[in-house]
Amino acid sequence: TDRKKLHTAPVGQVFRLRPFHVLVATGGGYAGYRKYEDYKLQQLEKRGVEVPVKLASEWEVALYKSVPTRLLSRAWGRLNQVELPTWLRKPVYSLYIWTFGVNMKEAAVEDLHHYRNLSEFFRRKLKPQARPVCCVHSVISPSDGKILNFGQVKNCEVEQVKGVTYSLESFLGPRISTEEMHFSQAPPSNSFQKQLVTKEGNELYHCVIYLAPGDYHCFHSPTDWTVSHRRHFPGSLMSVNPGVARWIKELFCHNERVVLTGDWKHGFFSLTAVGATNVGSIRIYFDQDLHTNSPSYSKGSYNDFSFISNNNKEGIPMRKGEHLGEFNLGSTIVLIFEAPKDFRFNLKAGQKIRFGEALGSL
């Protein structure tokens, strides 16, 4: 009779989980599983075993997208800005150097104590002689990285890796009005691909370069050209490593990206910087109005900025090798450009390349 009553809450209230928490936990676990699968694929590739393409289903893509990668990327960006104590800099940076194989002998400043935070370390400059720019070839690599794919654009489809394609129009967005472009109007055509080709006898080419976390994070102008327009697509920030690019069709169309378009001596030219997990920050040096990875955005939206109508009548001239922008961490650059039919790439799929080395020429 002296026992006290024990009041207990219903089991449903104790273990109540909100849908958001379930999505985050499930999506995070699945993302970890995919990382493990990517690792196994990389080991098979190193042994020379050809891996068949296996694309993700819609529910797998939706599950991956449920991971709050944009929020995590903003948090990572803020963490990068935190100034590290002098005694902690060398251990932290040395761990990163060891993990990703960074060659600090190429850095303009080799002393690790010089870099106050991770952001400064990621954006480190190279010694002037570390990346000589090839003057013979017409197009050079805008960055360090790995060649995922290259070749002619066919049937309005571009390969992100061998056997996995994405829509050219979905990637670049609707064609920019002729008044905003620096080159002449092409003959009317129903094909989006043909609309981009401004000179008779030319073809459209593409090249995809993947920047790993240990690569040099700045990118440069791949040729002499004039930037007329910028289009910014807010979007997801899924990983863009080769394993995921082989798994998710139109990955580059899902992710946040900045498309620079203009013209070079052979017609249309574009460079697209694709964001990825922890790479929400994409910076273009001459574009102070660009702000990537905002907390909110409308799905499927994009915003345009014309450098001809807003700044001058000539656009932004860029010289081959000139500094163009930077990523916060590794990511991907996609070149899509017009050139004569005798243009040839001097590449092999999967090869490592460094900024300044030749991509192709006439």
Side-chain angles (χ1 to χ4, degrees), residues 162-236:
K162 186 178 180 180
V164 182
T165 63
Y166 56 94
S167 163
L168 179 64
E169 187 168 6
S170 297
F171 182 69
L172 295 179
R175 186 171 183 268
I176 302 155
S177 63
T178 357
E179 290 77 11
E180 296 181 15
M181 300 306 291
H182 197 57
F183 45 79
S184 60
Q185 186 175 7
S189 170
N190 292 328
S191 167
F192 180 80
Q193 178 179 335
K194 290 181 179 178
Q195 290 177 20
L196 298 179
V197 178
T198 63
K199 297 180 180 180
E200 189 174 351
N202 281 1
E203 297 288 346
L204 208 60
Y205 298 86
H206 73 97
C207 183
V208 183
I209 304 170
Y210 167 68
L211 289 75
D215 288 326
Y216 170 54
H217 292 97
C218 296
F219 51 95
H220 301 245
S221 176
T223 191
D224 295 336
W225 64 307
T226 301
V227 183
S228 304
H229 188 273
R230 179 259 292 160
R231 176 169 284 161
H232 171 217
F233 290 86
S236 302

Side-chain angles (χ1 to χ4, degrees), residues 33-323:
Y33 166 74
R34 286 308 314 172
K35 287 287 186 183
Y36 173 68
E37 289 294 309
D38 294 341
Y39 172 76
K40 291 199 299 183
L41 288 176
Q42 289 173 6
Q43 297 306 307
L44 289 174
E45 286 180 346
K46 287 180 180 179
R47 286 156 44 191
V49 179
E50 187 172 345
V51 182
V53 174
K54 184 181 178 182
L55 294 176
S57 60
E58 290 186 8
W59 72 266
E60 287 178 307
V61 176
L63 187 58
Y64 191 2
K65 281 187 172 182
S66 71
V67 180
T69 51
R70 292 178 64 84
L71 178 62
L72 292 172
S73 297
R74 285 195 296 275
W76 174 253
R78 291 185 180 180
L79 179 64
N80 288 348
Q81 300 294 332
V82 176
E83 185 169 341
L84 297 176
T86 306
W87 61 270
L88 188 59
R89 294 174 189 176
K90 189 171 182 178
V92 170
Y93 301 147
S94 296
L95 178 62
Y96 184 89
I97 291 168
W98 176 79
T99 304
F100 296 108
V102 179
N103 183 4
M104 283 302 293
K105 292 183 178 180
E106 297 178 329
V109 180
E110 296 183 40
D111 182 11
L112 297 180
H113 296 101
H114 169 79
Y115 303 101
R116 294 173 298 176
N117 52 47
L118 285 166
S119 181
E120 286 188 2
F121 178 71
F122 293 144
R123 294 182 288 107
R124 65 193 177 277
K125 303 301 180 185
L126 299 180
K127 294 173 181 174
Q129 67 274 20
R131 297 290 186 276
V133 175
C134 179
C135 299
V136 178
H137 295 263
S138 56
V139 182
I140 62 168
S141 176
S143 66
D144 289 5
K146 178 181 180 180
I147 301 294
L148 293 190
N149 217 302
F150 62 92
Q152 277 192 25
V153 177
K154 297 180 180 179
N155 302 320
C156 292
E157 291 282 323
V158 185
E159 280 195 319
Q160 59 189 31
V161 293
K162 186 178 180 180
V164 182
T165 63
Y166 56 94
S167 163
L168 179 64
E169 187 168 6
S170 297
F171 182 69
L172 295 179
R175 186 171 183 268
I176 302 155
S177 63
T178 357
E179 290 77 11
E180 296 181 15
M181 300 306 291
H182 197 57
F183 45 79
S184 60
Q185 186 175 7
S189 170
N190 292 328
S191 167
F192 180 80
Q193 178 179 335
K194 290 181 179 178
Q195 290 177 20
L196 298 179
V197 178
T198 63
K199 297 180 180 180
E200 189 174 351
N202 281 1
E203 297 288 346
L204 208 60
Y205 298 86
H206 73 97
C207 183
V208 183
I209 304 170
Y210 167 68
L211 289 75
D215 288 326
Y216 170 54
H217 292 97
C218 296
F219 51 95
H220 301 245
S221 176
T223 191
D224 295 336
W225 64 307
T226 301
V227 183
S228 304
H229 188 273
R230 179 259 292 160
R231 176 169 284 161
H232 171 217
F233 290 86
S236 302
L237 289 174
M238 294 184 283
S239 171
V240 292
N241 73 52
V244 177
R246 187 184 294 107
W247 179 57
I248 297 181
K249 183 178 174 63
E250 299 203 330
L251 171 65
F252 300 155
C253 298
H254 290 295
N255 272 18
E256 181 152 6
R257 59 197 181 278
V258 177
V259 182
L260 300 178
T261 54
D263 65 302
W264 68 320
K265 60 183 178 180
H266 299 296
F268 174 81
F269 199 96
S270 73
L271 180 150
T272 302
V274 183
T277 307
N278 293 336
V279 198
S281 173
I282 302 172
R283 183 182 173 194
I284 305 297
Y285 294 138
F286 59 75
D287 189 355
Q288 302 302 317
D289 295 318
L290 175 64
H291 301 286
T292 56
N293 196 13
S294 300
S296 61
Y297 71 97
S298 301
K299 186 178 179 180
S301 66
Y302 61 85
N303 56 77
D304 289 340
F305 187 89
S306 172
F307 296 108
I308 292 178
S309 59
N310 288 278
N311 288 351
N312 53 60
K313 297 298 180 183
E314 301 297 328
I316 308 294
M318 297 298 300
R319 303 295 296 174
K320 183 194 296 185
E322 186 178 350
H323 277 83

